[in-house]
Amino acid sequence: MSEYGAVPFALMIVIVIYIVIGEYFKSIHFHLIHETSFGIIIGMLVGLLLKWMDENAYAQFFSLNATIFFYLLLPLIIFSGGYNLKKKQFLKNFKYIVSFGFLSTLINFIITLTLTIAFNSWKLVRLGTNLDSHLPLSYDEMIKYSATICATDSVAALNLIPSQQYPKLFSVVFGEGMVNDAVSIIIFQAVTILQKSGKSFEWYTPFEFIGRFLENCIISLLIGLFVGLFSTWCFKKCRFLTNSTTTETVFAFLMAYMGYSICEMLNLSGVISLLMIGIMMSHYQGYNISQLGRVTTRVTFESLSLGAEAFLYVFLGFAMWNQTTYYSPLTQDLYYVEVSWVFTLLQLGVVILARYLSIYIVYWIFTAIKGPKVWKLTKYEMSICCFAGMVRGSVAFALIETLVASPTDGIQINQINILQSCVLYIVVVTTLIFGTAMPFFINIQINKQLEEEERKSINEIPTPVLNDTSKKKELSEAQKIIKYMDEHYFKRWFIYDYENRKERITQEKKQIKTETLQEIYEKAFSEASEDESVKQRNEDFISLPSIEEKPTSPLIVKMQELSQQI
């Protein structure tokens, strides 16, 4: 029996408790503490108990987290996000998502790096509580840290913004969070590649960095596009793959993971590739599989993502007490190291300042070029976007854990531990503080917006509103071109029998918004299939219980929500 088997066992128990309590909070509309904060807190309590019982086993277990995160947990979360993405709202608000997710992240990185270098030059990286000591950080470590701490976590805000009532705000916060994580990882990878090349810093190094960054983005997107379309083509040509919903689900996930693995093997961004694969599969592949398969894949990927997120937040709480020790796999010894409380507090202020400046600098740049009338986000919506991005999440923690010190270099061990502990504490503090304050802040901003709209309506002065579903806007020229290519070429190339099924698909898209999951299942079972094996499978399938009989089941409610997104 493994000597530290009690740690993963306790971790699973805490994850189960986290999921149960989280769903209970949702059912009673309890927002005083967010479920992610609760997961971290309970993880901290159980982690402290485990460390007290066996400190050596505790330290060994938490030396494995970076690999597990990047090759198991992160793909599940990103792929689910892309597969269940509401593409219409994403494209409609694309300029805001790219502005905040791409440009704002780069500005955040520059501000954070500048202030971190300043703190280091002012000798503010102090060890522990000794304010007279100073441990200088290398430029390589500060650059990687700055790229890491830019990764935000908008999960708490997304759970509190009604997507049906405020679709624009929800899509901007969701899209910006996805793009932000991808850009942060690409910056980190670009810096790592440049450092491994062994080149010294020259005047052209920033331009080389930008080139690496753009190269990574473009190639990753192309790989994701190719794999997503190839998977769709396989379902179009190989109709026997649709004989089983299990086969449909497993094949789709394996193809997506293959694209992610290709990018990671080539030192590219698997996150951007996986996001693109999910979007392509959702847009085209859904029409090549059975209706039952559409719902099954969405529920399966969403369930896996939920499990991965639960593991991550509980894991963060467990890892809180592992920052004052360093376990060396080489010598199998446990060393005690220091953290820098001064540096951590300063960086917490930098996170808030850099987020605020990066959001509004992007706004100033955009309005200076295009004019203020083109910018449709209100000041209240921007405040919510800014506040949601204050939270730092699991991506930042996982990135910083990839930094490895030489087992025999005591100074480097302390340097890296200072950065790792700083990121972890910032993740925990921002999640607990900003995550808890999120519902109150969002409600205040929305109420202020509604009050302003009411005052404007009295004076008959139109104003941009949070709920932007009442007026249908005309498509831009770029959107018209994309829609034309999609309808006349891509759908014909990648959707099975599109010419004969075009009207049926169009009708399905109109009706699916009002159909319940039960009706989708009934339609999937009742329709005759060209493949006799599929028809036989549908006839033999046991009929599902009526949804109306159990309207309060969290699983059924979740499946109904996912069915509306097809």
Side-chain angles (χ1 to χ4, degrees):
M1 181 181 293
S2 174
E3 61 178 358
Y4 57 92
V7 179
F9 173 74
L11 186 62
M12 295 302 108
I13 295 295
V14 175
I15 290 174
V16 171
I17 296 174
Y18 163 80
I19 293 177
V20 172
I21 297 298
E23 289 301 317
Y24 177 70
F25 283 172
K26 290 180 181 179
S27 66
I28 63 174
H29 304 287
F30 179 79
H31 299 305
L32 184 60
I33 180 173
H34 193 262
E35 60 186 276
T36 57
S37 301
F38 175 79
I40 291 176
I41 291 174
I42 192 173
M44 290 169 59
L45 296 176
V46 177
L48 181 62
L49 176 63
L50 290 173
K51 183 175 182 179
W52 175 75
M53 293 173 59
D54 192 341
E55 187 173 12
N56 191 60
Y58 175 85
Q60 288 184 53
F61 180 80
F62 287 100
S63 64
L64 307 174
N65 44 60
T67 302
I68 294 175
F69 177 83
F70 281 107
Y71 288 97
L72 180 60
L73 302 177
L74 184 62
L76 296 176
I77 298 172
I78 297 298
F79 180 61
S80 175
Y83 196 81
N84 294 303
L85 178 69
K86 293 184 177 181
K87 298 175 289 298
K88 184 176 180 180
Q89 284 295 329
F90 183 85
L91 294 174
K92 187 177 181 181
N93 301 291
F94 188 73
K95 62 182 178 182
Y96 304 116
I97 293 172
V98 172
S99 297
F100 289 154
F102 182 81
L103 186 57
S104 178
T105 304
L106 291 176
I107 296 174
N108 196 323
F109 168 71
I110 295 172
I111 294 173
T112 303
L113 178 59
T114 302
L115 292 177
T116 302
I117 293 174
F119 294 154
N120 187 62
S121 62
W122 296 336
K123 298 183 179 180
L124 293 176
V125 186
R126 309 296 173 84
L127 288 176
T129 57
N130 184 2
L131 300 181
D132 295 327
S133 63
H134 168 64
L135 184 65
L137 302 174
S138 68
Y139 282 101
D140 291 349
E141 293 165 349
M142 289 188 289
I143 293 174
K144 288 183 177 179
Y145 165 81
S146 300
T148 294
I149 207 63
C150 292
T152 63
D153 188 354
S154 55
V155 172
L158 290 174
N159 291 336
L160 299 170
I161 301 174
S163 60
Q164 299 297 327
Q165 190 175 0
Y166 309 115
K168 179 173 67 175
L169 179 59
F170 184 89
S171 65
V172 170
V173 173
F174 175 80
E176 189 256 344
M178 298 290 288
V179 176
N180 168 271
D181 287 345
V183 171
S184 299
I185 294 174
I186 292 176
I187 293 175
F188 188 90
Q189 291 175 332
V191 170
T192 303
I193 292 174
L194 287 176
Q195 290 175 352
K196 287 182 178 179
S197 65
K199 298 179 181 179
S200 59
F201 188 88
E202 303 290 346
W203 65 268
Y204 55 83
T205 301
F207 299 99
E208 187 176 0
F209 167 78
I210 295 174
R212 290 278 186 181
F213 178 84
L214 294 176
E215 177 188 21
N216 198 324
C217 285
I218 295 173
I219 297 179
S220 300
L221 282 172
L222 292 176
I223 291 176
L225 182 66
F226 173 78
V227 174
L229 294 178
F230 178 73
S231 175
T232 301
W233 182 84
C234 288
F235 276 107
K236 177 184 177 180
K237 295 297 183 181
C238 306
R239 299 304 296 163
F240 56 85
L241 291 175
T242 63
N243 290 351
S244 167
T245 53
T246 303
T247 303
E248 292 172 337
T249 305
V250 172
F251 184 84
F253 178 75
L254 291 179
M255 291 297 293
Y257 197 85
M258 182 179 69
Y260 180 84
S261 302
I262 291 173
C263 287
E264 291 297 315
M265 181 176 61
L266 299 176
N267 290 322
L268 299 172
S269 175
V271 173
I272 283 192
S273 176
L274 202 56
L275 184 62
M276 176 60 70
I277 292 171
I279 293 174
M280 289 295 102
M281 285 186 177
S282 174
H283 188 61
Y284 296 112
Q285 187 169 289
Y287 300 111
N288 291 338
I289 60 180
S290 62
Q291 288 192 351
L292 181 60
R294 297 184 208 173
V295 180
T296 302
T297 52
R298 290 179 181 275
V299 173
T300 301
F301 299 149
E302 186 75 10
S303 301
L304 292 173
S305 176
L306 173 64
E309 289 179 355
F311 179 90
L312 286 173
Y313 286 113
V314 172
F315 192 92
L316 289 174
F318 267 57
M320 271 290 291
W321 314 110
N322 195 41
Q323 301 307 305
T324 57
T325 56
Y326 172 77
Y327 175 77
S328 174
L330 184 63
T331 62
Q332 296 186 349
D333 291 327
L334 198 63
Y335 302 96
Y336 289 91
V337 292
E338 295 282 356
V339 298
S340 178
W341 299 111
V342 174
F343 183 73
T344 301
L345 290 174
L346 290 172
Q347 287 297 329
L348 183 60
V350 170
V351 165
I352 299 173
L353 177 64
R355 175 63 181 179
Y356 180 85
L357 290 178
S358 63
I359 289 293
Y360 286 96
I361 287 175
V362 167
Y363 166 72
W364 295 329
I365 293 174
F366 192 95
T367 53
I369 297 174
K370 294 287 188 178
K373 293 183 179 181
V374 180
W375 189 269
K376 301 301 181 182
L377 283 179
T378 67
K379 59 182 179 181
Y380 304 105
E381 292 174 322
M382 288 184 60
S383 297
I384 293 175
C385 292
C386 185
F387 196 85
M390 297 290 185
V391 180
R392 294 300 181 267
S394 52
V395 172
F397 174 69
L399 281 174
I400 203 67
E401 287 293 320
T402 60
L403 299 182
V404 180
S406 172
T408 59
D409 191 340
I411 295 178
Q412 190 182 38
I413 289 175
N414 271 297
Q415 289 174 333
I416 291 185
N417 187 75
I418 284 175
L419 297 177
Q420 291 177 340
S421 61
C422 176
V423 170
L424 177 60
Y425 295 147
I426 288 176
V427 168
V428 171
V429 170
T430 54
T431 302
L432 293 178
I433 295 178
F434 294 110
T436 302
M438 194 76 68
F440 305 102
F441 183 83
I442 290 177
N443 287 334
I444 290 173
Q445 297 302 313
I446 289 179
N447 289 333
K448 285 183 177 180
Q449 174 68 18
L450 295 176
E451 290 174 2
E452 182 173 315
E453 291 170 14
E454 187 176 353
R455 290 195 301 268
K456 296 287 187 179
S457 63
I458 294 175
N459 298 325
E460 297 183 352
I461 300 176
T463 180
V465 295
L466 284 167
N467 192 345
D468 59 344
T469 59
S470 59
K471 185 177 180 180
K472 187 175 181 180
K473 298 180 181 179
E474 187 179 354
L475 296 176
S476 65
E477 290 300 322
Q479 290 174 325
K480 290 179 181 178
I481 294 174
I482 293 174
K483 186 175 182 179
Y484 178 83
M485 296 292 293
D486 184 52
E487 291 292 337
H488 292 80
Y489 295 100
F490 296 119
K491 285 184 177 179
R492 285 179 168 83
W493 293 343
F494 297 105
I495 295 180
Y496 172 72
D497 196 21
Y498 181 72
E499 291 294 337
N500 297 325
R501 298 171 58 212
K502 182 178 180 180
E503 293 184 3
R504 178 182 170 186
I505 290 173
T506 304
Q507 190 66 23
E508 283 182 0
K509 290 174 66 176
K510 294 179 180 179
Q511 294 178 350
I512 200 69
K513 296 181 180 180
T514 58
E515 287 182 340
T516 64
L517 184 62
Q518 179 69 23
E519 292 170 339
I520 295 175
Y521 272 109
E522 290 174 353
K523 183 180 292 185
F525 296 146
S526 62
E527 289 179 346
S529 172
E530 295 181 3
D531 193 323
E532 290 299 323
S533 61
V534 177
K535 182 177 180 180
Q536 184 64 38
R537 179 198 63 182
N538 292 342
E539 292 174 350
D540 295 341
F541 200 89
I542 299 175
S543 61
L544 295 174
S546 174
I547 287 180
E548 286 74 10
E549 295 176 1
K550 298 181 180 180
T552 58
S553 171
L555 177 60
I556 292 178
V557 172
K558 186 64 177 176
M559 294 172 74
Q560 285 177 322
E561 293 175 356
L562 290 171
S563 69
Q564 300 299 321
Q565 301 174 11
I566 299 178

